[in-house]
Amino acid sequence: MKNQFLNAPVAVLLLGALTLGSCSKSENISTSESGVKSKYFISAQGEGGRHDYLITADDLTQGSISIAGNGKEVRSGYTWIFPGANSAVGFIYQKGDPGIGLGIGLDNNGKVVPKGSEFQIESRFTTYGVCNGLAITAVSGMPTADDKLKMQSIFNIVNPANKNAKITKEYVTTNMTGNGEFFTFSGIVDAGNGEFLTSMVPSKTLPTSGGGASTGDSDHPDSVWVAKFDTNLKLKKIYKDDRLPYSSGRYRSQYYSQIANDDRGNTYVFSGAFNAKTSKKAGVIRINKGTENFDKNFYWDIETASGGYYFMKVWHITGDYFLLNFYNKKGSRNMTDGITKYAVVNVTQKSFRWLTNGFPTADKIIRTSNAFAADGKAFLPITVENQKPAVYVIDPVTATAKRGLEVQAEAINGLGKLSTK
């Protein structure tokens, strides 16, 4: 197995010095201190997009940092999942081809180092999440070996505490609810007790290739389903509600999670109403911690609150605050219309506020990545035209933002936080 961690050559350092210009020396990275407790993690893309640089910083709210001569070099394209405080697992999407997974952590000086073994993912993945210290990916719409008309999902479960040992499991999704359709899973959130919740996206369309099917038409666009599994992939419960359409953001083969836990372990199930045939509004309902049904007393019509906009991605920030990523055009579910509008919502107060104060206008944003939440704030990587990529710091209480740490690179592809213990 070819090692995916690369040593940054001198040529890269020289290239960085030439292409990144006269960047000031960063004050956000520790190079010689000892006894470091935690660092923010940044995956930044180098020139040409072939490699990412895994670097660390003390502060995401200010300053500047460069990838030149800095960090650990890996192939570009990794999605980083944080199943525990001191470890991250990287999965790379290679369409239908196998990819090499990585584990990382911090040394005592706060530098990124390999952690555990590299591993191979034979299947691609279309969604991911964490449960009980494990990193989990899934791809759905895969025909079973004995019946090409029966669809299954393939899960890869990686345990950083056991040197990234990986287990692959399959689960047949055809007719899970008795409606004759198969399901694609979207989003994975920890439900406690070694169990996780994942949204179910129905489809009556058969796959056209062995790489996994995209969801097609459904005869059931006006219902939402959520499955509860344990980490042995034993189905424990299916939740169903008719107040929302299915819960998932989608683009090509990727299914973006619209389910997230609050700080108390309640699970909020959002729906951006991606299926245009639904008669239900985009909104949110809730599964209270430890309960076996949706909370019938909680429902919020976010589509109306937003003025008629649909959303794709959802992240929990803190408390009852969530960050939502919207399509730019009212009534649109089309990526060509742009998807660079953001709003902060409070689900218990049912308050909705567009991010405008201190935040770039949607037409100026040329690239974003997934948000990351810590310390009561949301941190969102954004590249604005004619500027270097930066981390925007979002205060959910005031629904304001400010430009924080600038990264001298082509893009910021991932953020997180790691501790040394």
Side-chain angles (χ1 to χ4, degrees):
M1 183 182 296
K2 184 178 179 181
N3 193 306
Q4 299 297 297
F5 286 104
L6 310 171
N7 292 319
V10 174
V12 171
L13 306 186
L14 294 175
L15 180 61
L18 292 172
T19 59
L20 297 178
S22 56
C23 306
S24 60
K25 183 178 180 180
S26 169
E27 297 178 353
N28 293 290
I29 187 77
S30 300
T31 57
S32 60
E33 62 184 308
S34 60
V36 173
K37 293 184 178 180
S38 65
K39 290 278 189 177
Y40 292 106
F41 164 89
I42 303 167
S43 176
Q45 188 176 75
E47 184 179 16
R50 295 183 60 190
H51 298 108
D52 287 351
Y53 295 83
L54 311 182
I55 58 179
T56 58
D58 292 320
D59 189 1
L60 296 179
T61 67
Q62 61 184 342
S64 178
I65 193 169
S66 174
I67 62 173
N70 209 356
K72 182 71 66 175
E73 182 183 354
V74 297
R75 285 187 54 189
S76 187
Y78 276 94
T79 295
W80 293 98
I81 304 175
F82 296 82
N86 62 0
S87 62
V89 177
F91 295 88
I92 194 163
Y93 182 81
Q94 303 214 129
K95 297 184 179 180
D97 298 326
I100 304 301
L102 307 174
I104 61 165
L106 297 182
D107 64 15
N108 288 332
N109 293 318
K111 294 289 191 179
V112 174
V113 292
K115 186 173 183 179
S117 302
E118 294 184 358
F119 54 92
Q120 183 165 291
I121 298 294
E122 290 78 10
S123 65
R124 63 190 178 104
F125 64 95
T126 55
T127 199
Y128 55 86
V130 301
C131 174
N132 197 31
L134 305 173
I136 303 174
T137 71
V139 60
S140 302
M142 309 288 287
T144 62
D146 59 342
D147 187 348
K148 299 301 181 183
L149 300 181
K150 186 181 293 184
M151 300 300 113
Q152 65 181 350
S153 292
I154 298 177
F155 287 80
N156 289 290
I157 303 169
V158 176
N159 186 359
N162 189 22
K163 299 181 180 180
N164 299 329
K166 184 204 70 175
I167 297 174
T168 299
K169 290 181 174 290
E170 298 85 22
Y171 192 88
V172 174
T173 66
T174 296
N175 206 33
M176 281 182 70
T177 64
N179 66 8
E181 299 188 349
F182 75 86
F183 288 89
T184 295
F185 296 120
S186 179
I188 293 170
V189 298
D190 200 322
N193 300 316
E195 299 170 338
F196 65 89
L197 296 169
T198 179
S199 177
M200 302 165 61
V201 182
S203 178
K204 62 180 181 180
T205 303
L206 296 178
T208 57
S209 70
S214 295
T215 303
D217 193 17
S218 171
D219 289 331
H220 306 276
D222 287 339
S223 297
V224 61
W225 294 267
V226 173
K228 180 192 283 187
F229 288 96
D230 64 21
T231 53
N232 291 315
L233 225 56
K234 180 180 179 181
L235 181 66
K236 311 294 285 190
K237 169 78 178 178
I238 293 179
Y239 300 80
K240 179 181 182 291
D241 201 285
D242 295 326
R243 291 174 292 175
L244 290 181
Y246 69 70
S247 170
S248 181
R250 289 176 50 203
Y251 179 60
R252 295 181 176 174
S253 63
Q254 292 299 295
Y255 290 73
Y256 298 110
S257 177
Q258 293 183 350
I259 57 177
N261 292 337
D262 66 11
D263 294 331
R264 297 178 297 277
N266 303 312
T267 302
Y268 285 84
V269 179
F270 293 78
S271 173
F274 182 84
N275 191 324
K277 292 184 177 180
T278 184
S279 63
K280 305 298 173 67
K281 297 290 187 71
V284 59
I285 54 180
R286 179 175 64 201
I287 301 172
N288 294 320
K289 182 179 180 180
T291 62
E292 293 300 310
N293 294 288
F294 280 103
D295 183 346
K296 295 300 182 182
N297 297 315
F298 179 81
Y299 166 81
W300 183 24
D301 175 1
I302 296 177
E303 184 178 333
T304 298
S306 69
Y309 288 83
Y310 298 108
F311 56 88
M312 178 188 279
K313 297 181 181 181
V314 174
W315 302 274
H316 177 245
I317 305 175
T318 187
D320 299 319
Y321 292 98
F322 292 79
L323 177 67
L324 274 59
N325 178 203
F326 284 80
Y327 294 90
N328 292 356
K329 185 178 178 180
K330 180 179 179 179
S332 174
R333 301 175 176 91
N334 194 330
M335 287 287 290
T336 60
D337 291 323
I339 188 161
T340 51
K341 288 176 70 71
Y342 293 82
V344 172
V345 302
N346 184 302
V347 289
T348 56
Q349 297 175 4
K350 296 185 178 179
S351 65
F352 182 99
R353 289 178 288 181
W354 289 112
L355 268 178
T356 56
N357 190 340
F359 198 76
T361 58
D363 62 315
K364 299 297 184 183
I365 299 174
I366 61 174
R367 185 165 177 171
T368 66
S369 186
N370 286 328
F372 154 72
D375 310 318
K377 301 288 191 295
F379 301 93
L380 181 64
I382 292 179
T383 304
V384 176
E385 60 182 25
N386 301 318
Q387 295 182 17
K388 290 294 183 183
V391 178
Y392 278 76
V393 185
I394 300 166
D395 185 331
V397 177
T398 60
T400 59
K402 72 170 187 175
R403 184 178 171 88
L405 179 68
E406 182 177 272
V407 180
Q408 303 295 319
E410 284 202 355
I412 303 171
N413 290 334
L415 294 173
K417 193 174 186 179
L418 289 169
S419 68
T420 57
K421 302 297 183 183

